[in-house]
């Protein structure tokens, strides 16, 4: 069922909103007990208590008790629980207790990590909290969205997220994106006009706006009707899933889990039958088979994954990188293409006005005066060039050549027109002043003013203007055109239809120098296997110069109109071969990202403009900054507290570190389990007794599992961080088949030593055999972590972190304390001969050397290390 159908079911809510939307402004104010001056602070506080915070269920933190029970919702916990129940039913209470401890340890640690992660996530979200412009007691100010209440007066501008369901009372060219509710990608024009229409539902009402939608262009004022769970968006959040699609890592984990479960389903009956037939004791054979199944279950895998991601998020927060969605850390590590906007990312984000020229390239103060009027009196989103014009005017302490100025009207900027118009009354004349992109402005100009004379905009003059513009572009300037129309109307009503037959006054030239830090950051990203591509709405010549300044190959570039003419296959080829795309609109950016994804790339997009939101949603990992527009931040999964590629580089490296440490656990666990089961099958076929009691095998697994909990804090080799991390299940199985059987060889050697050297070859001496193999099995299983955690020579070329080394050594020591003290009797172990320990050290040392040799051969043959 799609979202629109889901919403249509809410008949009563739909009718209630429609009824309110059809009221006059006066009746609305009476109904909601408010006014144009807004609520009083006291009234707003009372309503917040009455209606609750303006949050939907998807935004509220999950209660601790629910998080705890959710930690049980794991496939491997289910397997362990089933085996524990079977053990209880068959009176094997000691095994059941050990399995219960393993389940509880896994669940508790997962719960603690999830709870800490949620607390950290909430704290981090508060740092990038979205706000709304609300009028209270006659004062309009930004307040947190969760404090908005019914009756509040809301002011809307380009880039704003709409915080609640509201009815419009005034608009100016207001266009809203409702795709989150309706799935329709086209913007919807909204107005304050009351429409008496009983056929359409509330979503079709032109004077209603809804939570979860955003303003693409224009302005408006509205009265808040519904907040939180009472909104349409609240219904969707409650009834429809809000989770993103699975990442490649999620899919990879699911595949490994399925492989292990299939392995359990095959080996459980196999081990049971072999031991039952060869030993004749079907009861012990059954318990032993259960213990083997437990040994194959990586019950710590969910905890290791969540622990790694949570640790990564906290580490990144110290590097000024805020992670909104934990899985995005892995995507950041696997990213091999970074698409970025130009302004502020590879430039200083410090636009400076350097030239104000007439159409022929001579300095002209009228251009500056008119540009100031446009920038100063517009009420929408002030971009960097607006700020640069205002700052320049103030720093130069210029005076406008008018005695009295009164603002008449405004036509806000939008991304299709790419211009903005302000109308002011000065010296008894109405001045319609428009500024915008050069090409778009040329299309609406019929005249040109040169040296005080208004001339027809001929083709010859057009060519001269083009040359001036190109000369400024080659100097690295961003250029906008200023045009004017005098006394277009007598009344104060203007629309986009009036943007025609204008007089071109001149050009404004801005410089946004390339960042020095961007040069080193881009070089480092290239070294780490990340291709950097610039996707900008700016002029190609300006963008090309900036790209060359920071080390991005921009000899070849593609323009937005060329993108529209390309087929999907042509765009895929162009996207892979080109590093600069210019003059793009928002949907063209998103299409380029999709083309890269189709060819197998993991794509990140970094941007902070309103026009970047579609691309941020499309990318595998959307990256924005905390100063970006609300809708831009909402579309992002990573928020940077500093707009710098150096900060992003830290995020990429941390993402790879997180992925590497997760892979260590998976590699070690799968290869170790594979080797152990292979050894058990060999021993079961030839020994007249069980190679290890089920309780002993469970104890070994418990000690080993606890030792693995420190892996998220391990060091990662620099070489592992140089290339994007990709999940390759085939490589994982190849690694397992190559490394796993090495442990089986030394297990067989241990069997032979215990059988022939120490005479543990009868049922009476089976405890000696089991004790001896327990110690070798535990030591090799734990110490192999030190060998397999790196492709290098352990300790000499790569050292483990202190927590990892300490936990592994602690596992071996705990095993020895159990065997060497009277506590061994609890697990039916016996005292080992003193000479055993010489063999023990020799077998373990030889195993470590053999694993290193197998590792060397694997890398040489497979040409990889996962």
């Amino acid at each position: 069922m799609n979202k629109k159908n889901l919403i249509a079911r809410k008949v009563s809510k739909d009718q209630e909103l429609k009824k309110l939307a059809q009221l006059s402004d006066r009746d609305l104010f009476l109904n909601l007990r408010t006014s144009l001056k807004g609520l009083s602070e006291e009234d707003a506080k009372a309503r917040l208590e009455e209606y609750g915070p303006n949050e939907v269920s998807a935004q509220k933190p999950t209660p601790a008790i629910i998080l705890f029970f959710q930690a049980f919702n794991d496939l491997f916990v289910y397997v362990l629980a089933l085996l524990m129940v079977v053990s209880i039913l068959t009176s094997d209470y000691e095994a059941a207790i050990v399995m219960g401890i393993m389940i509880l340890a896994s669940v508790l640690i997962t719960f603690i990590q999830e709870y800490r992660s949620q607390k950290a996530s909430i704290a981090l979200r508060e740092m990038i909290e979205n706000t709304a412009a609300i009028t209270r007691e006659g004062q309009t100010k930004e307040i947190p969205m969760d404090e908005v209440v019914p009756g509040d007066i809301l002011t809307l501008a380009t880039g704003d997220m709409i915080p609640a369901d509201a009815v419009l009372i005034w608009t100016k060219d207001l266009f809203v994106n409702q795709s989150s509710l309706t799935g329709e990608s086209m913007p919807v024009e909204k107005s304050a006009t009351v429409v008496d229409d009983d056929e359409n539902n509330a979503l079709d009402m032109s004077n209603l706006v809804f939570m979860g939608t955003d303003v693409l262009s224009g302005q408006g004022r509205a009265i808040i009707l519904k907040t939180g769970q009472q909104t349409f968006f609240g219904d969707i959040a409650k009834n429809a899933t809000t989770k993103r699609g699975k990442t490649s890592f999620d899919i990879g984990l699911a595949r490994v889990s399925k492989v292990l479960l299939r392995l359990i389903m095959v080996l459980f009956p196999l081990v049971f039958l072999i031991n039952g037939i060869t030993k004749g004791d079907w009861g012990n054979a059954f318990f032993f088979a259960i213990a083997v199944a437990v040994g194959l279950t990586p019950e710590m895998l969910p905890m290791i994954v969540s622990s790694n991601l949570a640790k990564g998020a906290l580490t990144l927060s110290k590097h000024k990188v805020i992670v909104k969605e934990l899985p995005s850390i892995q995507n950041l590590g696997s990213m091999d293409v970074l698409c970025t906007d130009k302004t502020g990312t590879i430039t200083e984000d410090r636009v400076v006005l350097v030239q104000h020229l007439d159409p022929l390239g001579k300095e002209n103060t009228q251009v500056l005066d008119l540009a100031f009027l446009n920038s100063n009196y517009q009420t929408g989103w002030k971009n960097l060039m607006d700020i640069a014009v205002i700052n320049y005017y103030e720093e130069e302490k210029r005076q406008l050549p008018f005695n009295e100025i009164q603002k008449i009207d405004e036509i806000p900027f939008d991304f299709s027109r790419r211009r903005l118009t302000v109308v002011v009354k000065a010296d008894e004349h109405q001045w319609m002043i428009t500024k915008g992109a050069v090409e778009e402005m040329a299309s609406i100009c019929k005249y040109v003013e040169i040296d005080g004379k208004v001339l027809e905009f001929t083709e010859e003059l057009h060519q001269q203007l083009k040359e001036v513009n190109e000369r400024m572009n080659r100097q690295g300037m961003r250029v906008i055109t200023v045009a004017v129309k005098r006394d277009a109307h007598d009344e104060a009503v203007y629309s986009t239809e009036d943007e025609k037959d204008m007089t071109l006054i001149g050009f404004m030239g801005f410089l946004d120098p390339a960042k020095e830090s961007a040069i080193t950051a881009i070089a480092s990203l290239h070294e780490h296997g990340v291709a950097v591509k610039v996707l900008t709405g700016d002029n190609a010549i300006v963008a090309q110069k900036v790209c060359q300044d920071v080390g991005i190959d921009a000899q070849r570039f593609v323009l937005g109109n060329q993108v529209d003419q390309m087929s999907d296959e042509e765009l895929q080829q162009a996207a892979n071969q080109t590093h600069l795309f210019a003059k793009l609109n928002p949907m063209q950016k998103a299409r380029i990202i999709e083309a890269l994804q189709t060819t197998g790339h993991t794509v990140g997009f970094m941007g902070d403009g309103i026009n970047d939101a579609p691309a941020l949603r499309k990318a595998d990992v959307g990256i924005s900054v905390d100063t970006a527009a609300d809708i831009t931040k909402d579309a992002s999964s990573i928020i940077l507290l500093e707009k710098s590629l150096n900060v992003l580089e830290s995020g990429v490296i941390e993402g790879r570190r997180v992925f590497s440490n997760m892979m260590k656990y998976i590699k070690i666990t799968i290869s170790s389990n594979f080797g152990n089961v292979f050894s058990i099958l060999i021993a079961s076929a030839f020994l007249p007794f069980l190679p290890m009691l089920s309780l002993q095998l469970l104890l070994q697994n418990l000690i080993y599992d606890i030792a693995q909990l420190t892996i998220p804090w391990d060091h990662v080799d620099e070489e592992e961080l140089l290339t994007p991390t990709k999940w390759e299940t085939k490589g994982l199985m190849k690694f397992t088949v190559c490394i796993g059987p090495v442990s089986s060889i030394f297990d067989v050697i241990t069997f032979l030593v215990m059988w022939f050297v120490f005479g543990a070859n009868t049922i009476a001496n089976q405890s000696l055999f089991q004790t001896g193999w327990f110690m070798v099995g535990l030591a090799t299983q734990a110490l192999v972590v030190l060998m397999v955690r790196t492709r290098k020579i352990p300790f000499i070329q790569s050292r483990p972190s202190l927590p990892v080394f300490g936990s592994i050594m602690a596992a071996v020591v705990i095993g020895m304390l159990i065997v060497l003290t009277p506590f061994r009797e609890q697990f039916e172990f016996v005292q080992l001969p003193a000479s055993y320990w010489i063999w023990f050290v020799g077998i373990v040392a030889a195993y470590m050397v053999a694993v290193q040799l197998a590792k060397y051969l694997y890398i040489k043959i497979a040409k990889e290390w996962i």
Side-chain angles (χ1 to χ4, degrees):
M1 182 179 293
N2 62 36
K3 291 180 179 178
K4 198 163 185 178
N5 288 339
L6 181 64
I7 293 166
R9 293 172 57 194
K10 309 296 180 181
V11 178
S12 58
K13 186 172 294 185
D14 188 276
Q15 293 298 325
E16 186 180 355
L17 280 173
K18 284 176 64 176
K19 186 177 178 181
L20 289 168
Q22 290 168 358
L23 295 176
S24 66
D25 288 357
R26 180 179 176 277
D27 290 337
L28 271 171
F29 287 132
L30 287 172
N31 190 287
L32 293 161
R33 307 190 313 281
T34 187
S35 70
L36 275 175
K37 290 185 178 181
L39 303 171
S40 67
E41 291 295 342
E42 192 176 320
D43 193 8
K45 186 177 179 181
R47 294 191 189 198
L48 188 62
E49 289 182 6
E50 179 183 354
Y51 295 104
N54 182 33
E55 297 175 334
V56 298
S57 57
Q59 296 172 319
K60 293 176 182 176
T62 307
I65 188 66
I66 294 177
L67 276 179
F68 178 73
F69 285 113
Q70 283 178 349
F72 285 91
N73 186 22
D74 177 74
L75 197 56
F76 296 121
V77 171
Y78 293 155
V79 172
L80 280 177
L82 176 63
L83 297 175
M84 185 180 74
V85 170
V86 172
S87 297
I88 292 171
L89 294 175
T90 52
S91 302
D92 189 4
Y93 299 116
E94 290 177 333
I97 290 169
V98 174
M99 281 185 266
I101 292 170
M102 295 171 86
I103 291 171
L104 198 58
S106 176
V107 166
L108 278 175
I109 296 169
T110 300
F111 163 70
I112 291 167
Q113 288 294 343
E114 290 290 339
Y115 184 72
R116 288 176 59 191
S117 172
Q118 178 174 273
K119 282 187 69 176
S121 178
I122 292 168
L124 295 175
R125 277 207 305 269
E126 288 175 356
M127 297 171 67
I128 52 169
E129 191 167 42
N130 291 331
T131 59
I134 298 295
T135 301
R136 288 179 182 170
E137 298 181 346
Q139 298 283 324
T140 301
K141 59 183 179 180
E142 296 286 332
I143 70 167
M145 282 189 180
D146 58 4
E147 294 179 14
V148 171
V149 296
D152 267 330
I153 304 299
L154 169 70
T155 299
L156 296 171
T158 303
D160 286 349
M161 287 185 66
I162 296 167
D165 292 353
V167 61
L168 294 161
I169 54 176
W170 173 82
T171 62
K172 180 65 177 177
D173 299 319
L174 184 67
F175 284 85
V176 172
N177 169 26
Q178 291 191 167
S179 61
S180 60
L181 295 179
T182 65
E184 298 294 330
S185 59
M186 295 300 292
V188 178
E189 186 171 12
K190 296 287 184 176
S191 70
T193 306
V194 178
V195 180
D196 188 6
D197 186 352
D198 290 327
E199 292 185 9
N200 291 328
N201 62 36
L203 279 174
D204 297 319
M205 300 287 286
S206 62
N207 64 333
L208 286 176
V209 290
F210 303 91
M211 173 190 259
T213 64
D214 53 275
V215 179
L216 290 179
S217 64
Q219 301 165 284
R221 297 193 87 196
I223 306 174
I224 301 296
L225 301 176
K226 301 288 182 182
T227 59
Q229 210 60 50
Q230 297 305 308
T231 62
F232 268 102
F233 192 80
D235 282 335
I236 294 172
K238 185 178 180 181
N239 293 286
T241 178
T242 56
K243 290 185 178 179
R244 291 180 182 266
K246 290 185 177 181
T247 66
S248 59
F249 190 77
D250 294 327
I251 295 168
L253 281 178
R255 285 175 182 166
V256 170
S257 301
K258 287 178 181 177
V259 168
L260 287 172
L261 286 172
R262 289 191 189 113
L263 204 59
I264 291 169
M265 292 175 68
V266 170
L267 291 175
F268 176 82
L270 190 60
V271 170
F272 172 58
L273 289 172
I274 290 174
N275 280 287
I277 292 168
T278 56
K279 281 75 174 176
D281 189 340
W282 290 95
N284 278 331
F286 179 72
F287 297 136
F288 184 69
I290 287 178
V292 170
V294 171
L296 282 169
T297 306
E299 56 278 347
M300 295 298 169
L301 184 57
M303 188 284 306
I304 293 286
V305 171
S306 60
S307 180
N308 259 292
L309 294 174
K311 176 187 170 291
L314 292 173
T315 301
L316 286 176
S317 68
K318 296 172 185 175
H319 291 281
K320 301 182 179 180
V321 179
I322 306 303
V323 180
K324 284 175 61 185
E325 301 165 359
L326 288 181
S328 64
I329 297 175
Q330 190 273 323
N331 285 338
L332 201 57
S334 61
M335 179 178 72
D336 59 350
V337 176
L338 171 66
C339 296
T340 176
D341 194 11
K342 175 175 66 66
T343 305
T345 306
I346 59 177
T347 61
E348 289 187 1
D349 204 3
R350 185 180 57 84
V351 174
V352 179
L353 174 62
V354 290
Q355 288 186 347
H356 39 93
L357 309 176
D358 73 4
L360 298 182
K362 293 186 292 185
E363 189 169 303
N364 184 291
T365 55
Q366 185 187 15
V367 179
L368 177 60
D369 292 336
L370 294 175
F372 174 77
L373 285 169
N374 181 285
S375 296
N376 189 58
Y377 284 95
Q378 69 116 333
T379 57
W381 181 272
K382 279 185 169 60
N383 62 30
L384 293 169
M385 288 183 284
D386 288 318
I387 295 166
V389 170
I390 295 168
N391 289 343
Y392 183 90
Y393 211 85
E394 291 174 349
E395 288 168 7
E396 294 293 317
K397 297 181 179 178
R398 285 190 55 81
Q399 295 294 319
L400 286 166
F402 304 113
N403 294 321
E404 189 178 339
I405 301 168
Q406 177 189 355
K407 182 177 176 181
I408 300 296
D409 205 354
E410 177 178 352
I411 308 172
F413 177 89
D414 66 55
F415 295 106
S416 57
R417 289 165 41 249
R418 298 184 68 193
R419 54 182 176 261
L420 182 147
T421 294
V422 170
V423 184
V424 297
K425 187 173 184 179
D427 294 347
E428 303 303 320
H429 292 283
Q430 285 193 14
W431 296 73
M432 179 179 173
I433 307 163
T434 304
K435 74 177 191 310
V438 174
E439 293 86 347
E440 283 75 4
M441 289 295 294
S443 68
I444 62 169
C445 289
K446 188 176 181 180
Y447 307 99
V448 177
E449 186 173 316
I450 301 173
D451 296 330
K453 296 178 181 178
V454 177
L455 307 173
E456 193 86 22
F457 195 5
T458 63
E459 185 59 39
E460 184 182 351
L461 277 173
H462 191 281
Q463 190 60 37
Q464 286 180 280
L465 267 65
K466 190 175 180 181
E467 289 172 7
V468 173
N469 177 40
E470 288 180 355
R471 185 175 71 243
M472 295 171 77
N473 286 159
R474 283 193 294 271
Q475 293 171 339
M477 288 186 217
R478 301 173 69 181
V479 182
I480 62 172
T481 301
V482 179
V484 70
K485 184 191 281 190
R486 297 174 183 87
D487 299 319
H489 288 300
D490 292 330
E491 65 278 356
V493 179
Y494 284 77
S495 70
T496 54
E497 293 179 2
D498 293 308
E499 292 177 331
K500 63 183 180 181
D501 300 337
M502 300 194 75
T503 302
L504 195 149
I505 303 297
F507 302 110
M508 306 287 286
F510 302 85
L511 274 179
D512 185 8
K515 285 182 179 177
E516 288 292 328
S517 61
I519 300 171
T520 55
I522 288 170
S524 180
L525 284 168
H526 286 161
E527 288 172 7
H528 285 85
V530 180
V532 181
K533 298 178 185 287
V534 174
L535 276 56
T536 179
D538 207 351
N539 184 292
I541 300 172
V542 175
Q544 193 174 38
K545 185 179 186 306
V546 173
C547 287
Q548 289 168 350
D549 289 344
V550 297
I552 296 174
D553 179 13
Q555 290 183 349
R556 180 176 184 266
F557 59 81
V558 176
L559 299 177
N561 57 0
Q562 294 173 314
V563 170
D564 285 338
Q565 294 166 6
M566 291 179 179
S567 66
D568 290 343
E569 292 74 17
E570 289 170 336
L571 183 57
Q572 288 165 18
Q573 186 176 356
N576 279 294
Q577 295 175 352
T578 309
H579 293 88
L580 172 61
F581 293 82
K583 300 292 287 182
L584 298 174
N585 64 37
M587 299 318 295
Q588 288 165 346
K589 290 183 180 182
R591 190 176 169 222
I592 291 165
I593 288 170
E594 187 174 19
L596 287 164
Q597 291 170 325
T598 304
T599 54
H601 294 287
T602 301
V603 186
F605 181 81
M606 182 173 177
D608 68 342
I610 303 156
N611 59 329
D612 293 324
L616 287 164
R617 288 192 181 104
K618 177 64 66 176
D620 293 293
V621 53
I623 306 154
S624 190
V625 291
D626 67 328
T627 54
D630 290 343
I631 183 59
T632 310
K633 288 187 287 186
D634 189 66
S636 305
S637 48
I638 300 283
I639 305 290
L640 307 182
L641 298 182
E642 182 180 310
K643 195 172 184 181
S644 166
L645 285 177
N646 284 322
V647 173
L648 182 59
E649 182 195 353
S650 301
V652 170
I653 291 171
E654 185 60 29
R656 293 179 185 179
R657 186 174 284 113
V658 165
F659 184 91
S660 179
N661 280 334
M662 283 192 283
M663 287 304 298
K664 283 177 189 176
Y665 174 78
I666 293 168
K667 285 189 298 184
I668 293 163
T669 300
I670 293 180
S671 59
S672 176
N673 288 350
F674 183 83
N676 284 347
V677 170
F678 198 58
S679 302
I680 286 168
L681 289 174
I682 294 170
S684 299
F686 298 103
L687 293 177
F689 48 81
L690 291 174
M692 205 181 299
L693 297 181
S694 57
L695 183 61
Q696 296 165 351
L697 193 56
L698 290 170
L699 175 65
Q700 188 184 78
N701 287 328
L702 180 61
I703 296 171
Y704 169 76
D705 283 339
I706 292 173
Q708 303 302 300
L709 299 181
T710 55
I711 282 181
W713 287 266
D714 193 20
H715 299 316
V716 177
D717 297 335
E718 288 299 318
E719 291 83 353
E720 298 293 316
L721 305 176
L722 290 177
T723 54
T725 51
K726 298 288 184 182
W727 180 277
E728 293 291 345
T729 314
K730 291 180 181 177
L732 183 62
M733 296 314 297
K734 193 167 28 174
F735 173 89
T736 300
V737 172
C738 184
I739 302 296
V742 176
S743 66
S744 298
I745 294 170
F746 286 86
D747 282 335
V748 171
I749 291 172
T750 304
F751 297 161
L752 295 173
V753 168
M754 297 307 298
W755 187 274
F756 292 107
V757 176
F758 296 105
N761 48 22
T762 62
I763 294 175
N765 289 328
Q766 65 175 334
S767 295
L768 179 61
F769 185 99
Q770 292 159 351
T771 308
W773 189 37
F774 171 84
M775 274 311 306
V776 169
L778 178 61
T780 53
Q781 198 173 14
L783 293 171
V784 76
V785 174
L786 300 175
M787 313 302 296
V788 179
R789 59 167 292 278
T790 174
R791 67 188 300 160
K792 297 180 177 180
I793 301 172
F795 299 103
I796 298 172
Q797 295 177 327
S798 175
R799 295 181 181 179
S801 67
L802 190 60
V804 169
F805 181 74
S807 65
I808 288 168
M809 298 313 296
V812 178
V813 170
I814 289 170
M816 292 179 71
L817 286 174
I818 291 172
V819 169
L820 292 172
T821 63
F823 193 62
R824 60 177 172 260
E825 294 172 7
Q826 300 297 318
F827 301 96
E828 298 187 35
F829 291 133
V830 296
Q831 187 170 353
L832 291 163
S835 59
Y836 164 83
W837 297 106
I838 299 172
W839 285 97
F840 170 80
V841 171
I843 290 170
V844 171
Y847 171 70
M848 303 274 276
V849 172
V851 169
Q852 183 61 30
L853 290 172
K855 195 171 73 173
Y856 172 78
L857 290 172
Y858 173 79
I859 294 171
K860 191 172 182 179
I861 295 168
K863 310 290 186 190
E864 65 179 10
W865 181 255
I866 56 170

